[in-house]
Amino acid sequence: MTATRTEAPPTGPTRLTDADLDLLLLIRHFELALLDMFGRGELHGTTHTCLGQEYVPVALRPLLDDGDHVFSNHRGHGHYLARFADPHGLLAEVMGRQGAVCHGVGGSQHILRDRYLSTGVQGESAPVAAGVALHLKRAEPGRLALVYVGDGTWGEGAVYEALNMAALWELPLVLVVENNGIAQSTPTGVQLAGSIGGRARAFGVDHLLVTSTDTNTVRAELAPVLRRVRDRSAPQMVELLTHRVGPHSKGDDSRRPEEIGQARAHDWYGRYAAAFPEQFSEHDERQRRYVADVVREVSGRPASRWDGVDRG
């Protein structure tokens, strides 16, 4: 049986705090700026934006603390910005300019900072996160390791090995699945048998399905889950039905127009603008200008240089 995805029409958003809205819009305009810069030939390589999925790390932000470990993936700019609110360092990393988070050698996908790590290798972070969760259970009770994966990662055996260990050893591991319904160019329903929840239950791991894209609602659903992981030192899988509004990477989008339209219909950005126009307009313009200033400032920096020695 192939996986099926059924969704109710999106409900109206609830009013956000100014801080949450600013962070959502910072991520949105940062991602749009990257696509614009690639389009103008100012960036090289590739990048994978999280347009439409920004609410996931923003909802999780206050539920995590600095002692928790976060493991991101190839579509991780929003995860990083929600963790550090550092668009200058991230853009410098992507551009290879001075002030880059990893001296410009990691680029868009491979970033290490404090207890945050992202990688472009599908599924790679899951067993690493399980190992870190084992350390946290022994040395720092109450901390957790959170790893982001997509629905396209379920063909990787490393994910199942990590789930097996996490269940056997009762590790404080949270696996956050951002299920946007398409693995690069392949719809999830034709590449994934069964269901993601069924795979979690096969290992005895609790699974929570979240269908809302409202930041406040998602946070309220996830808060008791993360508390339970900390208190019980037991793994948890959270699957969020989300939508990728932008292309897979810079410009490769194989979806039919109606599929793209459906993704945009679920996008929090337009629905929040319609529900709270005055608050949205003010903050949207502010973050748009802020990101434009970041782009101008970082673009004027000299190239990053690193001799292999990190002097802090």
Side-chain angles (χ1 to χ4, degrees), residues 102-103 105 304-311:
C102 297
H103 306 281
V105 301
S304 177
R305 293 288 184 267
W306 185 43
D307 58 9
V309 178
D310 192 345
R311 299 182 175 85

Side-chain angles (χ1 to χ4, degrees), residues 49-71:
T49 66
C50 66
L51 296 168
Q53 302 178 193
E54 300 95 335
Y55 67 91
V56 177
V58 174
L60 281 162
R61 179 188 55 82
L63 307 181
L64 299 168
D65 62 43
D66 292 342
D68 296 325
H69 285 255
V70 174
F71 295 85

Side-chain angles (χ1 to χ4, degrees), residues 70-73 117-132 146-149 153 158-159 162 173 175:
V70 174
F71 295 85
S72 183
N73 56 13
L117 174 69
S118 66
T119 175
V121 180
Q122 291 293 316
E124 180 184 36
S125 290
V128 178
V132 168
L146 182 145
V147 56
Y148 290 98
V149 301
T153 311
V159 177
L173 177 69
L175 197 71

Side-chain angles (χ1 to χ4, degrees), residues 80-288:
Y80 177 86
L81 291 172
R83 181 77 167 176
F84 299 111
D86 175 33
H88 293 83
L90 181 56
L91 183 60
E93 182 63 35
V94 175
M95 297 188 74
R97 300 300 175 91
Q98 283 190 5
V101 183
C102 297
H103 306 281
V105 301
S108 174
Q109 301 182 50
H110 303 97
I111 293 177
L112 172 65
R113 176 175 174 180
D114 301 327
R115 294 188 168 195
Y116 176 95
L117 174 69
S118 66
T119 175
V121 180
Q122 291 293 316
E124 180 184 36
S125 290
V128 178
V132 168
L134 177 61
H135 164 77
L136 293 174
K137 178 178 180 177
R138 293 173 171 174
E140 301 179 43
R143 306 289 192 198
L144 59 81
L146 182 145
V147 56
Y148 290 98
V149 301
D151 49 289
T153 311
W154 292 94
E156 299 294 333
V159 177
Y160 300 98
E161 294 174 6
L163 277 174
N164 185 57
M165 290 186 290
L168 283 174
W169 299 341
E170 298 182 324
L171 302 181
L173 177 69
V174 181
L175 197 71
V176 177
V177 186
E178 294 175 301
N179 182 353
N180 60 27
I182 187 167
Q184 188 164 338
S185 59
T186 306
T188 302
V190 299
Q191 60 89 11
L192 181 71
S195 67
I196 292 173
R199 294 171 186 227
R201 288 186 287 273
F203 291 93
V205 173
D206 289 341
H207 169 266
L208 173 67
L209 179 65
V210 179
T211 59
S212 176
T213 61
D214 175 67
T215 301
N216 291 325
T217 302
V218 173
R219 184 176 294 157
E221 291 193 50
L222 297 184
V225 171
L226 268 65
R227 283 198 301 269
R228 188 160 61 246
V229 171
R230 296 183 193 279
D231 294 342
R232 293 171 44 200
S233 185
Q236 171 78 44
M237 186 187 299
V238 177
E239 178 186 357
L240 298 107
L241 294 189
T242 187
H243 293 267
R244 169 165 61 78
V245 175
H248 167 67
S249 54
K250 299 194 298 289
D252 52 339
D253 202 332
S254 60
R255 294 174 294 178
R256 298 188 303 272
E258 58 268 27
E259 293 173 316
I260 297 175
Q262 181 187 30
R264 289 175 176 165
H266 283 79
D267 187 15
W268 65 268
Y269 183 84
R271 290 188 292 108
Y272 197 87
F276 303 100
E278 291 186 5
Q279 182 198 26
F280 178 87
S281 178
E282 175 187 351
H283 289 263
D284 187 59
E285 182 59 28
R286 179 189 305 161
Q287 293 305 314
R288 190 190 306 272

